[in-house]
Amino acid sequence: HAGGVIIMGALTSTEIASLTVQIQALPHTLPFIIAIDQEGGSVRRMIDDENPGGTTLGKLSDENFCLSVSQTNTKLAKAGINTNFGIIGDIGWYPNAYITSRTYGNTLASVLQKTSLAIQCSKPIRTTIKHFPGHGRTLLNSHLTIPTIQTPHNEWIAFDAQPFLAAISQGVDFIMFGHLRYESIATEPASISPFFHSFAKNRGFTGLTITDDMGMLENSGMDPIETMRQAFDAGNDILLYVTSKASPQDLFREALLYATSSSTIYSSFQQQYNHIKIFKEEKLTN
């Protein structure tokens, strides 16, 4: 009953096309979400794509930036990909931070300009902006730990939140929530935080919410079953799993048990399912 996949590894466009044909051949009634992380540069799964990604991409003129993004997403679409987790809304505040080389710039203005263009120039691919609420305020790598960020709410609203709010106003399809703890705003990481999910929806976001790889939380000693429940409770439509030590079968079984553990929780799951169903019917094709 899979509803979607993420393509990982280092593959050519021909290899990806072969995979997506096999996926589409599986019995299904709703379209699959077939996603990929194709930022360009250091984060690319389609290896025959020349998009430089990150700060190099961000330094291009608007025309060349759009051309590069458009070429990447056209190539992805031809290979059968319909969703790219590729647009970085983080601001590269610190030159030596983990995320900086993947950002479009070190100022709010530069990131706003390029994220806006990236959304415009990514058609026909479904667009995602990440890593909400912003990875740029920490030197650390959220794959290895849960960074704790001290930025106060008013400063976050004025700066780091702005690329995501602008993307919402442009109709971005997905927001990916990072494993980032903004300690003065919420006690838990944003990916499992009801506050940050409510914030996005209260600001007009109607697309799908998705976590970053849930397996990353396990590197900080968090239990995969408990974080799965917290992620659903926070308001995520979709949970992304790439590196979890728990088996997919165990996660699926536990999610099913949790979904049916009370009428309130079941109702919440049903709402999220309907949200995904409508999105797929309106924006994806079989």
Side-chain angles (χ1 to χ4, degrees):
H1 301 284
V5 297
I6 178 170
I7 304 293
M8 299 295 292
L11 303 167
T12 66
S13 53
T14 302
E15 289 169 328
I16 291 170
S18 176
L19 274 176
T20 60
V21 166
Q22 293 175 66
I23 292 165
Q24 294 287 21
L26 297 170
H28 59 287
T29 52
L30 290 171
F32 290 118
I33 294 170
I34 305 180
I36 199 167
D37 269 324
Q38 191 72 12
E39 300 171 18
S42 63
V43 180
R44 56 180 184 154
R45 315 302 176 203
M46 180 183 281
I47 58 174
D48 52 340
D49 170 39
E50 297 180 359
N51 180 341
T55 52
T56 302
L57 183 63
K59 289 175 183 176
L60 297 179
S61 68
D62 287 355
E63 182 180 359
N64 287 334
F65 177 93
C66 188
L67 180 62
S68 182
V69 169
S70 177
Q71 287 174 338
T72 291
N73 286 284
T74 298
K75 199 165 189 174
L76 291 175
K78 287 181 178 177
I81 301 292
N82 57 33
T83 301
N84 189 8
F85 299 146
I87 300 175
I88 304 293
D90 310 311
I91 302 169
W93 296 114
Y94 309 121
N96 58 335
Y98 159 74
I99 201 67
T100 295
S101 65
R102 292 168 58 189
T103 68
Y104 297 141
N106 60 4
T107 66
L108 171 58
S110 62
V111 173
L112 274 174
Q113 174 69 5
K114 296 308 189 192
T115 51
S116 175
L117 270 176
I119 293 169
Q120 293 174 38
C121 301
S122 291
K123 295 175 182 177
I125 293 290
R126 297 295 113 197
T127 52
T128 307
I129 190 164
K130 61 185 185 185
H131 307 83
F132 185 70
H135 205 308
R137 294 286 184 176
T138 177
L139 301 177
L140 302 177
N141 180 348
S142 61
H143 289 83
L144 307 177
T145 187
I146 301 170
T148 296
I149 297 166
Q150 303 298 338
T151 304
H153 184 270
N154 60 343
E155 186 177 349
W156 171 70
I157 288 283
F159 293 97
D160 302 76
Q162 288 302 312
F164 299 94
L165 292 173
I168 289 170
S169 70
Q170 279 188 267
V172 71
D173 297 297
F174 290 79
I175 293 178
M176 180 180 285
F177 285 69
H179 304 307
L180 307 155
R181 183 182 287 115
Y182 275 70
E183 200 167 48
S184 66
I185 303 175
T187 56
E188 60 281 304
S191 54
I192 55 174
S193 167
F195 171 83
F196 283 110
H197 287 78
S198 295
F199 177 89
K201 289 167 185 174
N202 290 341
R203 291 302 183 105
F205 181 61
T206 58
L208 297 181
T209 54
I210 185 168
T211 67
D212 204 344
D213 171 26
M214 291 293 288
M216 292 159 61
L217 293 174
E218 295 172 35
N219 293 327
S220 296
M222 299 187 75
D223 178 74
I225 303 304
E226 182 57 29
T227 54
M228 175 269 292
R229 293 170 182 154
Q230 290 174 310
F232 279 125
D233 289 345
N236 287 289
D237 293 304
I238 301 172
L239 276 56
L240 178 65
Y241 286 93
V242 179
T243 63
S244 178
K245 297 176 183 67
S247 74
Q249 292 85 355
D250 287 347
L251 289 165
F252 181 78
R253 183 183 65 251
E254 291 296 329
L256 204 57
L257 288 170
Y258 186 58
T260 55
S261 61
S262 78
S263 58
T264 301
I265 293 172
Y266 181 77
S267 176
S268 176
F269 267 75
Q270 192 65 47
Q271 288 175 12
Q272 287 160 311
Y273 170 77
N274 288 336
H275 189 199
I276 296 167
K277 181 174 182 287
I278 292 168
F279 177 92
K280 286 184 167 188
E281 289 171 343
E282 292 181 349
K283 298 197 174 187
L284 301 179
T285 55
N286 269 318

